[in-house]
Amino acid sequence: MLKFQHKVIIAFICFVLIPIIILGVVSYKISSTTLQKNISEQMIQTLKAVDRNLLAAVSEVNSFSDYVVSSSAIQNYLNTQNTSSIYEFYSDQQEIAGKMYGNSQIDNLVLFTLDGNVITYTDDKVTSLDALRSSLFLDEVLQQKGRPVWLTPYENQNLFFSQDYILTQSRVIKDINTLDNLGYLILHVKLDLFDPIFKNIYGGPSHELIVNKEGIVLYSLNRNFIGKSLDIQSFSDFPTNKSGYLTDVWDDEKSLITYIPSSFETGGNSQLFLVSIKPWKTIASDIVNIRNTMLVVVGFTVLTAGIFNLLYLKRISRFIHELLIRMKQVESGRLSKRMGRFNFQELQNISQGFNNMIGKLQQLMSDIETEQERKREAQFRVLQQQINPHFLYNTLESINALAASNGQREISKMTINLGKLLRISINGGYEVKVKDEIRHVISYLEIQKIRFDNRFSFEVDVEEELNNYPVLKLILQPLVENVLIHAFSNRDDEEGLIKIRGTVSNGHGEFWIEDNGKGIDGRVLMELNKWKLENHHTQTSNGHGVRNVDERIRLFYGEKYGLIICSAKNEGTLIKISFPIKGG
């Protein structure tokens, strides 16, 4: 089972360290993605500017070729096939040559007649017209009906004999009057046309390429890339009309690849893309601080956890361990053990509170032992004193036998009833059965009838259901005694009558004691009621027996039970006693 200290460390790792690591990783990922997106969006804008500059450069060459194909010298030569006209072109139309050499990007100008004659402005070897026709190149030129068709450096190598990478523009020359085909114009353009555009891109180390839909590099400042395949798995999924970016491996290095569809049209059906490739390590260098910060935070957190464990957690764990040991010792009865002192005030307060609690518990145990010893002594005294009641019972039996042998029936009867009174008064607990309480009060009344020379009679009527329920003992006799003392005193004109009834009502037991005596004086009855209303704090000079019974019932059963007294002068008294029914 893990120790408390280890559990807290695990909780610290789970709820503090791991969330910090996750937060750092997520922050790094978000920052990387955001930076990648921002750089790509900036690069897309740069590539769009490159595309515009590219179109501007191509437009200059297109303007020059427009001038050439529409010149009168070229038109006359191709229409008449007259050599003198071309000589006239050489001599009289020097402006064409001037424009060509004035535009330093144009490397050569080649004219083909329909029958294959060729005229070139340089001495370079020229591919024959038949070779061009067999390559289907001229088919594309004818399909464009005089519009320029461009060949990229990679595509040029299979058609022309130049050892250098060049651009080629080709177009069919039409008669400006009849629009009939007259011949073909081929311009060889130096890569200087594109190089300045791509050299001026700012944004750190990167490679900018012109790529066709098949992923072949058609142009790059790095000539070694021309003709290579852009080996990117998802390149074929590039949308033809949208810009975007992705990360993939290029030249054995993870790179951020940004692309846009180019507006430069070669005249064929192939879509061209401008692609920028940035090594990922140059981008990631901008978010290294985030990664390093995360590592520093994690390291600091681990260090803090270690210090927290040494300076605080270990002491708390030791305190809890010692507290558990002391609790087990106390549980086994070793109350003399105490907690030690601790540096933390909170722990010291708990330790001191535990010691005080054990001290009080020890004192309480001592008090309980003392109390138990006193109870044993009291019980012994009670047992010792029980000898006297037994002696008294034996004596009463002797008196009863002597009275019976001498014919004194009244004495014998009083002796028997007195014995019954003593037995129920002295023996047993606080409660007796209802029938025993009734038997006790009947014994008392029998004795009092002899004493009062039969000047009163009594009636007892108890429901059978009530007889076996328990009731507080000695609650009827004091009330009957009050009747005999107060209700029938100084009355010789009428025989007294006492009625005792026992009933069950609404789940409660009830005794009713009724007499036909002289009743209770209004002042005395007011004092009794006042005593009941003021929670027994008022002392009265009357009704000690009534107060005793009522107070005992309320203490034993609760405040909802007790006595109710109804009386009127010279009209007798009715007393109701209520008590709970608790079972047989």
Side-chain angles (χ1 to χ4, degrees), residues 50-58 194 197-198 210 262 264 274:
V50 169
D51 191 47
R52 289 192 295 269
N53 294 335
L54 194 64
L55 287 180
V58 170
F194 290 166
I197 299 173
F198 285 84
I210 298 177
S262 176
F264 174 39
L274 290 178

Side-chain angles (χ1 to χ4, degrees), residues 65-128:
S65 66
D66 289 341
Y67 173 77
V68 171
V69 299
S70 62
S71 68
S72 59
I74 297 297
Q75 289 283 320
N76 290 333
Y77 169 71
L78 295 177
N79 273 313
T80 63
Q81 298 288 319
N82 188 351
T83 309
S84 62
S85 65
I86 196 64
Y87 291 145
E88 184 180 353
F89 170 73
Y90 279 118
S91 61
D92 298 335
Q93 303 294 333
Q94 293 299 317
E95 55 183 328
I96 295 177
K99 282 182 176 294
M100 184 183 76
Y101 292 111
N103 193 335
S104 59
Q105 290 87 359
I106 298 178
D107 188 56
N108 194 11
L109 185 151
V110 181
L111 288 174
F112 285 99
T113 62
L114 293 178
D115 56 6
N117 293 327
V118 59
I119 298 175
T120 176
Y121 271 59
T122 65
D123 295 330
D124 295 338
K125 186 177 180 180
V126 177
T127 305
S128 66

